Amino acid sequence: MSATLGWADALWLARRRTPNDRLRYWGSLLSSAITAALLCTAAGLLALQQGSVISRIQVVADDGTRGGVAFAVLLVALPALHLTGQTWKLGSIERRDRMRQLRDAGAGTDQLRRVAVADTVIPVAVGATLGMILLGPTLAVLNMSRQPAPGYHGVALPAGAVDISAAMAVVPNVVTASWWPPLLAVGSVTAGAAAAAARSVRHLDHPSHRRPSLARFVAGRVAPRTARPDLLLALRRIADEPRTTTRPALLLGLAAVVATASTWLNRQARFVIGEEQWTADDYYSQAYNLVWLATAVGIGLCALGLVVALSDAVVRRRRTDAAAVAAGVPATTLRRALTLQTLLPAIPAILLGLAIGGATSVAFTGRSRGDWLGDPAANGPLIPLPWGLWAIWGVALIVVATLAALIASTALTRTTQPDQLRVPA
């Protein structure tokens, strides 16, 4: 077999899919499309850096701030990359078993890499390409909605005058503006998937070493001291697999940092500029609205990644969970354990992110109205802290994590059936 397994055979084997493989295929396709679209947007904005750009979004039209917008889009791409990485792991048990069978039949390491790369790259490349195909027309349709308006940035125009800004493009079409951003996006996402797939061949036998982790240490210490079954299960699972929930929790914490910092900067800008000027000039309002939109998109992608990670963990534990239910453990206990497994790492990360974002932003700018943009005013009036908005962001992030756990817990209905007891350990 080692002399005959070529790329054609690897592609044929990659097409033989189980239901979990099909779920990974479609999940990889969707997540790679989102990731490629974000990367193309960031690269396209950088490609326009030296040119003259006409856009209704002033931070995009301005050469000095366009690079910052591209960097913000790259930050949003981090949760998308995490989501793509999680979808690659769906059905990992069956895929690992097939790889072992091929290895036992005589396949070498290079040939196993071919199968792994073929199984992973096809949906990722197709999804990334579809992301480019859909992004271009979407931006074109968005820019077609140009209607003259009776005002310019909130300022009334004389009778009969036409608002020139309303006839501008909303945002440049980053797909057609230059040739290399779409190719870079598709190529980088596909290459990253191929590298990750090739590397996974080295871990077929479950390495026994466990890396030190603060979450693992704390969960292992607290678990023996609790008497609640659901909390005990959650702590044991965190101690066994801390990465399942700690990585999405860190991304939610990063979103909390961005949300609280942007909330404070927004409030300070409105107090310093004044409501009248803030309404008349939409430069700052557009900038902060884009930051909040990017934060919301990032939180949504984090939630999807958390749903995928938890669902994959539920599938991997299906034999254990089915045995627990058969022994008399209520399924509701398993659902509560899954929710606690999500919230126990997420709540400290979110609270820490809120504290870091709020403290650093206030310390950096100062609370006085005259402190904004480096103009000191030691005796100026203090701007009230946005405690309410910060609390809303924190509650929203915790609700998102809870909803992700509840959605993933729906898989327990299938994985706790008696027929799952026949699944190999």
Side-chain angles (χ1 to χ4, degrees):
M1 181 176 181
S2 60
T4 59
L5 185 62
W7 281 106
D9 299 316
L11 292 172
W12 183 86
L13 289 171
R15 292 197 300 268
R16 308 300 104 184
R17 302 188 182 96
T18 66
N20 286 333
D21 291 329
R22 288 192 287 271
L23 182 61
R24 183 180 71 253
Y25 182 93
W26 290 108
S28 298
L29 190 148
L30 176 61
S31 60
S32 61
I34 298 173
T35 305
L38 290 172
L39 292 177
C40 179
T41 301
L45 291 174
L46 292 176
L48 297 170
Q49 186 68 23
Q50 303 300 326
S52 176
V53 176
I54 299 176
S55 173
R56 270 191 271 178
I57 302 177
Q58 298 186 50
V59 290
V60 174
D62 189 353
D63 288 343
T65 56
R66 199 178 308 134
V69 176
F71 179 73
V73 175
L74 283 177
L75 290 179
V76 178
L78 291 178
L81 288 171
H82 178 266
L83 174 61
T84 305
Q86 293 302 127
T87 56
W88 292 339
K89 298 178 182 178
L90 287 172
S92 57
I93 297 177
E94 292 88 348
R95 182 174 52 181
R96 190 179 294 113
D97 290 340
R98 288 200 303 271
M99 290 293 183
R100 289 172 180 166
Q101 293 169 3
L102 291 173
R103 184 186 59 188
D104 295 339
T109 303
D110 292 339
Q111 294 166 338
L112 292 177
R113 288 197 184 100
R114 292 177 187 174
V115 177
V117 169
D119 182 45
T120 305
V121 164
I122 292 177
V124 171
V126 172
T129 304
L130 287 177
M132 297 299 95
I133 294 175
L134 294 177
L135 178 62
T138 300
L139 293 177
V141 172
L142 180 64
N143 290 331
M144 287 174 59
S145 59
R146 309 173 187 176
Q147 297 296 331
Y152 179 72
H153 302 319
V155 180
L157 292 177
V162 176
D163 182 3
I164 301 177
S165 69
M168 298 179 181
V170 177
V171 64
N173 196 326
V174 294
V175 178
T176 59
S178 183
W179 62 269
W180 61 269
L183 295 180
L184 176 64
V186 175
S188 59
V189 173
T190 305
R199 185 184 178 190
S200 67
V201 174
R202 298 186 301 175
H203 305 286
L204 293 180
D205 294 319
H206 288 290
S208 58
H209 67 278
R210 291 163 42 130
R211 297 179 180 177
S213 168
L214 178 60
R216 171 177 286 145
F217 175 78
V218 174
R221 291 283 184 175
V222 177
R225 296 175 173 82
T226 181
R228 288 182 51 183
D230 52 356
L231 182 58
L232 178 61
L233 279 174
L235 291 171
R236 289 299 186 189
R237 290 171 179 177
I238 293 174
D240 292 338
E241 297 177 327
R243 293 187 178 183
T244 300
T245 51
T246 52
R247 287 183 176 179
L250 291 176
L251 288 175
L252 290 174
L254 176 62
V257 172
V258 176
T260 51
S262 61
T263 299
W264 167 250
L265 294 175
N266 188 334
R267 166 161 291 199
Q268 190 178 43
R270 296 191 72 158
F271 268 85
V272 173
I273 296 176
E275 285 295 331
E276 182 177 353
Q277 182 65 22
W278 179 272
T279 304
D281 187 358
D282 57 3
Y283 181 87
Y284 295 105
S285 62
Q286 284 183 350
Y288 289 115
N289 289 338
L290 287 176
V291 172
W292 283 350
L293 176 62
T295 305
V297 172
I299 292 172
L301 293 174
C302 288
L304 290 176
L306 186 55
V307 170
V308 173
L310 293 174
S311 300
D312 182 61
V314 169
V315 172
R316 283 188 280 108
R317 290 194 305 262
R318 60 191 185 276
R319 187 174 186 269
T320 303
D321 289 344
V325 171
V329 177
T332 54
T333 300
L334 298 180
R335 290 190 175 91
R336 289 198 300 269
L338 185 64
T339 304
L340 290 173
Q341 181 187 358
T342 306
L343 293 180
L344 288 177
I347 290 178
I350 292 170
L351 294 178
L352 182 62
L354 293 173
I356 292 175
T360 55
S361 60
V362 173
F364 180 76
T365 63
R367 288 190 60 187
S368 175
R369 298 192 182 196
D371 287 341
W372 195 60
L373 295 179
D375 183 14
N379 298 323
L382 297 181
I383 299 174
L385 296 175
W387 294 109
L389 292 176
W390 286 345
I392 290 174
W393 276 113
V395 172
L397 288 167
I398 294 174
V399 169
V400 165
T402 304
L403 290 176
L406 293 177
I407 293 173
S409 68
T410 58
L412 288 168
T413 304
R414 179 173 62 89
T415 58
T416 55
Q417 296 299 317
D419 60 336
Q420 300 297 325
L421 294 171
R422 297 192 294 268
V423 175

